[in-house]
Amino acid sequence: MGLTRPGLALSLLIAASVQAQPQAIDQLPLQGDGDIRTLPAGTYTGNFTLDQPLHLRCAPGALIDGQGAGSTLHVRVPGVTIENCTLRNWGRDLTAMDAAIFIDKAAHGTVVRGNDLQGAGFGIWLDATADVQVLDNRIQGDPSVRSQDRGNGIHLYAVKNALVRGNQVRQTRDGVYIDTSNDSAIEDNLFEDLRYGVHYMFTHNSRVIGNTTRHTRTGYALMQSRKLTVVGNRSVDDQNYGILMNYITYSTLTGNRVEAVRSGDGGGDAMIAGAEGKALFIYNSLFNRIENNRFESSALGIHLTAGSEDNRISGNAFIGNRQQVKYVASRTQEWSADGRGNYWSDYLGWDRNADGVGDVAYEPNDKVDQLLWMYPQVQLLMTSPAIELLRWVQRAFPVTRPPGVRDSFPLMRAPDLEAHP
């Protein structure tokens, strides 16, 4: 008699459990006896533990198949390098932290370079370790799995002084997720077709430099962190938010370019409701420096809310956004510093002395703007005499003007973005 369906399921579960049992890496036919050990071409199955210092380099045509369970390579000791390896089909149990490459707490100084990973679980997991380098890897998720059920491409938990540079991550959940990790750098990576490209939580003194996000639901989700340096990044054709700052303090954003953020529903997992295609969304964030960035061609240029005050905002360019500013607060915020404001493509003032600064302040959120936020249908009346009369009354009687944003020194030309270091 054949196996019943419950018996077959139990048999498959036992088989998966057996396959997930790790083997020592020297069970593979490694060649060479020096510092570098090479895995020759061929397909190798199973999960393997690196428990001795080793530079593992895979020859072209070498593939390690995790057989759908567990972590394929588990690094337990310092002094390990994994280079040019192709890994497929590792486990997808996110609770068990299944990853193509799992780097343990003791494995400080590990280098993971030039590998090709494709699977539904986590790509590379750094677990409470230090001084790890993740360089020039290609990580591909499984698009047949729901976004929220995939692992992150690169996941850092309680990590110190990590460098994540030059990687390409596609169709995982988040490109790189950083939780409770300090003094790390995310540099020159490409993140595409993801939930969030870069996702920070409870992280301090870290750098995000020269990255590009494309077709994500949020390019850069900066959450619950302080002293971040966000320089020279780009967000292109992202949905909902280009850069989202949520409870961010004492951080610097400069030289970033966000363009063509479109409205969307957040895919069912938006952190904050009301994602109207915002190039920059600042939520309950204080004492930050936001200078010399470019926000353009998006549904909304910048939105501040929930007590986001005392930020230094100057030298930025807001170009061709359907709506430049959305801000509701109890007191007016000055968006200029040292006589230099921002560039606004819809500014209608003049510059009689040709000093490059407009002679009339830019005040984007007057009563008319607030009416538009609450009642979008008012746009049909924008050219009516009633709207013109309301604007005239605000100019003639400033006491009727609501608190909001004021740029006293609007720039007449968009500043050039400086190249990031």
Side-chain angles (χ1 to χ4, degrees):
M1 295 178 60
L3 286 172
T4 63
R5 296 186 66 86
L8 177 59
L10 179 59
S11 178
L12 292 174
L13 180 62
I14 293 172
S17 177
V18 171
Q19 291 167 357
Q21 296 303 312
Q23 310 169 58
I25 194 67
D26 56 15
Q27 296 298 309
L28 293 172
L30 302 180
Q31 298 177 348
D33 55 5
D35 293 336
I36 299 177
R37 305 290 299 279
T38 301
L39 181 66
T43 298
Y44 308 91
T45 59
N47 300 331
F48 301 92
T49 298
L50 287 81
D51 54 7
Q52 57 184 309
L54 175 71
H55 186 150
L56 172 63
R57 177 180 293 169
C58 295
L63 183 149
I64 305 176
D65 186 333
Q67 296 187 294
S71 295
T72 302
L73 296 179
H74 191 149
V75 185
R76 296 184 178 276
V77 296
V80 169
T81 295
I82 301 171
E83 184 176 19
N84 297 342
C85 293
T86 299
L87 277 63
R88 297 286 186 269
N89 194 30
W90 57 91
R92 60 180 63 197
D93 186 339
L94 304 186
T95 303
M97 303 179 293
D98 288 348
I101 301 173
F102 190 97
I103 302 172
D104 234 327
K105 180 178 181 179
H108 52 84
T110 296
V111 177
V112 180
R113 179 171 52 229
N115 301 285
D116 187 337
L117 317 177
Q118 185 172 343
F122 296 98
I124 302 171
W125 183 293
L126 283 62
D127 194 59
T129 187
D131 304 316
V132 171
Q133 299 183 43
V134 180
L135 311 172
D136 304 320
N137 301 282
R138 296 169 302 281
I139 304 173
Q140 167 79 50
D142 184 349
S144 69
V145 178
R146 293 190 314 164
S147 173
Q148 55 266 45
D149 294 331
R150 306 172 200 165
N152 300 314
I154 303 167
H155 190 110
L156 285 69
Y157 172 72
V159 170
K160 185 175 178 62
N161 196 35
L163 173 62
V164 178
R165 176 188 288 161
N167 302 279
Q168 299 178 29
V169 185
R170 299 184 67 247
Q171 295 178 324
T172 61
R173 182 170 57 189
D174 297 346
V176 56
Y177 178 91
I178 309 101
D179 183 6
T180 324
S181 300
N182 300 331
D183 305 305
S184 297
I186 313 299
E187 301 179 356
D188 300 318
N189 302 282
L190 173 61
F191 302 111
E192 298 180 287
D193 302 305
L194 306 159
R195 184 182 68 165
Y196 310 132
V198 176
H199 186 182
Y200 270 98
M201 292 292 295
F202 307 107
T203 293
H204 312 309
N205 301 312
S206 293
R207 304 183 304 279
V208 185
I209 298 177
N211 303 281
T212 296
T213 64
R214 184 181 294 123
H215 304 149
T216 73
R217 290 202 289 279
T218 292
Y220 303 86
L222 314 177
M223 314 279 289
Q224 308 279 355
S225 302
R226 59 182 172 84
K227 294 186 178 180
L228 301 180
T229 301
V230 184
V231 177
N233 301 284
R234 191 172 184 186
S235 160
V236 184
D237 291 325
D238 289 323
Q239 180 178 309
N240 298 328
Y241 312 104
I243 300 175
L244 182 152
M245 301 172 65
N246 183 13
Y247 290 87
I248 298 297
T249 56
Y250 301 105
S251 295
T252 297
L253 279 74
T254 184
N256 303 289
R257 181 168 183 168
V258 179
E259 53 192 306
V261 182
R262 62 195 185 281
S263 301
D265 62 2
D269 56 4
M271 293 182 191
I272 299 172
E276 298 100 338
K278 300 168 184 175
L280 176 62
F281 183 33
I282 306 177
Y283 183 91
N284 204 8
S285 296
L286 306 168
F287 313 122
N288 301 291
R289 185 167 67 90
I290 302 168
E291 297 181 317
N292 302 320
N293 304 284
R294 184 180 294 251
F295 306 104
E296 59 186 300
S297 304
S298 298
L300 179 56
I302 179 172
H303 182 191
L304 284 84
T305 189
S308 296
E309 300 179 346
D310 298 310
N311 296 295
R312 178 182 171 115
I313 301 176
S314 69
N316 304 286
F318 296 88
I319 303 172
N321 301 295
R322 191 180 310 144
Q323 180 181 342
Q324 297 282 45
V325 178
K326 185 173 182 178
Y327 179 59
V328 179
S330 58
R331 62 187 177 95
T332 296
Q333 293 289 301
E334 174 61 46
W335 283 4
S336 65
D338 303 323
R340 184 171 183 258
N342 305 274
Y343 173 78
W344 310 91
S345 62
D346 59 341
Y347 176 64
L348 300 178
W350 54 87
D351 179 15
R352 287 175 295 188
N353 61 358
D355 65 351
V357 176
D359 298 335
V360 179
Y362 179 83
E363 296 178 287
N365 52 344
D366 58 10
K367 284 290 188 184
V368 173
D369 289 314
Q370 294 192 8
L371 280 173
L372 286 173
W373 303 337
M374 293 184 290
Y375 309 106
Q377 60 270 28
V378 172
Q379 294 183 23
L380 299 174
L381 304 175
M382 283 301 293
T383 59
S384 72
I387 294 295
E388 292 300 319
L389 177 61
L390 181 56
R391 290 197 187 276
W392 179 84
V393 168
Q394 289 182 125
R395 290 193 298 269
F397 303 98
V399 70
T400 66
R401 183 181 296 122
V405 169
R406 178 183 176 89
D407 184 345
S408 299
F409 302 95
L411 303 178
M412 301 303 294
R413 294 182 57 187
D416 294 330
L417 290 184
E418 298 179 1
H420 72 272

